[in-house]
Structures are given as structure tokens and as C-alpha cells.
Amino acid sequence: MILKEFLELRRDRRTMAMIIVLPLALLVVFGYAANFRGDDVPTRVYGPRAKTVAAQLKAPFDVAKVDPKGTRDQARDALRAQDAGAVVLTDATGRTSTVLIDGSDQFAAQAAASASLASGGALEPEVLFNPELKTSWVMVPALVGMIMAFIGTIITAIGLVRERQAGTLEQLAVMPFKASDVIVGKIAPYFVLAAVDMLLVTVLGCLLFGVPFAGNVAVLALGAVLFLFTVLGIGVLISSVSQNQGQAMQMALLTLMPQILLSGMIFPLASMAAGVRWIGYLFPLTYFNMISKGVMLRDAPLSSLTLPLGVLAGMSVLVFSAAVLRFRRDLAPTAPKTPGRKAVPTGSAR
């Protein structure tokens, strides 16, 4: 029995990957990604003494721009668009400079605030968008995306595989439906459920934890639609390559775990090693987190969210097209083999 189980495990490549490859990958990737410190905070310095103060700034402040004519309104706009994590406002008196800090990035904000307080009075921190640096204010917008990813990937994949096992998909193959019609019909209920869950989590998060909703509802809704189409397409793809519900669950977890841990939801992207950070940029949850935090906490304008919205739009088209092509192959009816006709002899026996 022991030998039999080892032989079956050796033939099951997905399970072997879960047992051997996944732990090694998690060890290497998350060993470099698990960093709660904000080592580098992109910083701009505005005001009359901008050049002098910029030369004196030390880590974690990473000066990216110096503008002696910059104003406080421009500093707020830079933080709202996430062009900087902190902006130092100087004046002509040579006294304490004010450091405006983006509180929606909690770890970077904590590092910038601590460095400002340790400056001996030269810098005075002022945290915007999350003045008390509450963890719930940062986690609730990220949890919205995580819940939609869970429903869109795992529930969709398991539901479609269950129908394949029940023989429902084979029945659809002989009906006058296109592959795109079948996919839309199958994922529409999951889309509605995920949208309802998103609404519930957002409203309850704002009511229970006092999370503000400072931005435009339409911008968040647009990002959520694009994100849902992407994760639902991933769920359909997983179902098309899975033979049973166990395999679908394994593959869904393989796609969800890296997204949760490398999307900036738990560990800040800026503190990750460069190679691991670029892996995080391949996941749709990374870009939805940018949108949800930007809209809910910073009132980010649509112009500053064009990059994550554009990437999600491209991902949704790519993944959904691949799902339609894969599903079309599964739904294509197999032409029955016609038995070969026996050759009729040219001559007739009399």
C-alpha cells in the first residue's frame, strides 16, 4: 500500500508541485518579500530653502524632486496622485520644515514620521489621508479586492468543474450556443455575488471601522468591474485544465496565495527586493489595491489611476479571450467516426 501511494503521487504532477516546488518557492520568494520596513520613501522638497534642506535629508527620505516654487496645494496633489510618499515644505525663516506624509501607505508613513520626529525639531510630520495611521483604514480597501479574487477564482473554478463532472458541459456542446455565450452565462451569477460582497464589505468597513470614502464611486466601480472580469477569467481557465474539484482548488490556491502576499496588501511593494517586486506587478490584485486605496483614502483623480485601470483592462481582455478559446475547444463536439465503406468489386459474380 505504501509503494502504491508513492507511485500514485509520482504520477500526480500537480500534487508533487504542491508538496515539493511550492514550499521552496514560498521560502525563496517570501524570504525576500517579507519586510515591514519602509526603507525608501520617495520624497519631494518644496519651498524657498528646498535645495538646502534636500541636501540634509537622510534615509528613509529618497529625494526625487526639488522645486523651490512648490506650494502646499501642489504637495497635496502629489501625495494624492501617489507621485511621492512625503513632501517637505520649507520656508524662508530657516526654522522647522513641515513634512506632509501619505498615510495610505502605512509602513512608509511610519518610517517617515519616525525619521521626522528624530530630526531634533528640524522636521515636523503631518500625516494626510490616515492621520492616526490606523491599520483598518489600509486593510479594508485591500480586503475588498481579496474577497472578490476569492469568489472569482475559487468559486468559479470549482463550480465549472462540478458541472463538467456532472456532464452538463457535454450537453451544452450540442446546443446552439457559442463559447462566449456559455462563459457569460456561467460567470454572470458569480459576478453578481462578488459585486454584492464588495458592496457589503465596503459599506460595513466604512461603518464599523470608520474608514473614509473620499473619492468617486464610479471610479472604484470601474476598477472593480475590470478586476472581476480578470479573476473570473482566471477561474474559467483553471476549470478548463482541471479534471476534478480537488485539482481546481489546488490551482486556485496557487494563484491566490502569491497575489495576497505580493500585491502590497500585507508587505509594502517598495520594501521588497526588485525581482520579487516585479513578480507582484504581474498580479491583478496589485492594481486593484492601488485603485481602492487611491479612491477610498486619497480621493485620487481618474488621471492618476490610468495606469492601474489600463493594466486591468488589458489583463481582462487577455485572460477572458484565453478563457473563451480554451472553453470553445472543450465545447466543440467531437465528430463521430464514420465507418469505412467496403469496396464494391468491379466485377459481379454470376
Side-chain angles (χ1 to χ4, degrees):
M1 288 297 297
I2 294 174
L3 179 60
K4 167 186 167 299
E5 290 300 321
F6 273 114
L7 291 175
E8 288 185 356
L9 279 176
R10 188 182 66 179
R11 296 188 187 101
D12 191 349
R13 296 181 179 179
R14 292 184 178 89
T15 303
M16 290 298 294
M18 289 282 291
I19 296 175
I20 299 177
V21 179
L22 181 60
L24 296 178
L26 292 177
L27 175 64
V28 175
V29 173
F30 300 137
Y32 289 104
N35 186 0
F36 292 99
R37 298 179 303 173
D39 297 327
D40 296 316
V41 180
T43 305
R44 295 187 177 189
V45 186
Y46 291 168
R49 295 188 306 112
K51 294 183 179 180
T52 303
V53 173
Q56 298 173 352
L57 290 177
K58 300 179 181 179
F61 298 106
D62 182 13
V63 179
K65 183 178 180 180
V66 177
D67 185 5
K69 298 181 180 180
T71 63
R72 184 181 180 89
D73 291 338
Q74 292 176 340
R76 289 183 63 93
D77 292 339
L79 294 178
R80 182 175 288 110
Q82 216 169 20
D83 294 331
V87 179
V88 181
L89 296 175
T90 66
D91 54 24
T93 62
R95 298 177 181 175
T96 302
S97 300
T98 302
V99 183
L100 300 183
I101 302 172
D102 177 15
S104 65
D105 189 349
Q106 187 176 19
F107 298 108
Q110 290 174 342
S114 298
S116 300
L117 294 174
S119 64
L123 301 174
E124 181 179 349
E126 181 179 341
V127 181
L128 305 180
F129 314 130
N130 187 5
E132 299 179 9
L133 292 178
K134 294 182 178 180
T135 303
S136 58
W137 284 30
V138 180
M139 288 301 298
V140 168
L143 286 173
V144 173
M146 187 189 74
I147 290 172
M148 289 196 297
F150 178 85
I151 294 177
T153 304
I154 294 183
I155 306 301
T156 303
I158 292 177
L160 292 177
V161 170
R162 183 173 60 246
E163 292 199 13
R164 176 181 286 109
Q165 290 180 301
T168 308
L169 295 181
E170 284 74 7
Q171 296 175 5
L172 294 176
V174 297
M175 300 184 71
F177 293 135
K178 296 185 295 185
S180 57
D181 297 333
V182 176
I183 291 180
V184 172
K186 292 296 182 183
I187 70 174
Y190 302 111
F191 185 94
V192 174
L193 289 175
V196 171
D197 280 339
M198 171 197 167
L199 181 62
L200 288 175
V201 172
T202 304
V203 172
L204 289 178
C206 294
L207 293 178
L208 296 178
F209 302 102
V211 179
F213 197 105
N216 192 330
V217 176
V219 177
L220 181 62
L222 175 60
V225 169
L226 296 175
F227 178 68
L228 271 178
F229 269 116
T230 305
V231 295
L232 288 170
I234 294 174
V236 174
L237 282 176
I238 291 174
S239 69
S240 67
V241 298
S242 302
Q243 301 300 322
N244 52 58
Q245 296 183 42
Q247 291 182 0
M249 177 67 75
Q250 288 179 351
M251 296 190 67
L253 290 176
L254 282 174
T255 61
L256 278 176
M257 287 182 59
Q259 286 197 75
I260 294 173
L261 296 173
L262 297 180
S263 63
M265 176 180 174
I266 298 177
F267 310 113
L269 282 172
S271 64
M272 297 180 187
V276 179
R277 187 188 315 150
W278 284 107
I279 296 175
Y281 288 135
L282 299 176
F283 300 129
L285 186 56
T286 301
Y287 299 97
F288 183 78
N289 285 342
M290 296 178 184
I291 296 170
S292 60
K293 289 182 181 179
V295 172
M296 294 181 66
L297 300 182
R298 301 193 308 272
D299 188 16
L302 180 62
S303 58
S304 67
L305 298 175
T306 52
L307 176 61
L309 286 172
V311 173
L312 281 180
M315 286 184 174
S316 63
V317 172
L318 180 64
V319 173
F320 204 79
S321 300
V324 170
L325 292 175
R326 180 80 187 189
F327 220 69
R328 181 181 298 165
R329 191 191 71 174
D330 292 344
L331 288 179
T334 304
K337 295 182 179 180
T338 57
R341 297 179 61 183
K342 294 183 179 180
V344 179
T346 55
S348 58
R350 293 179 182 256

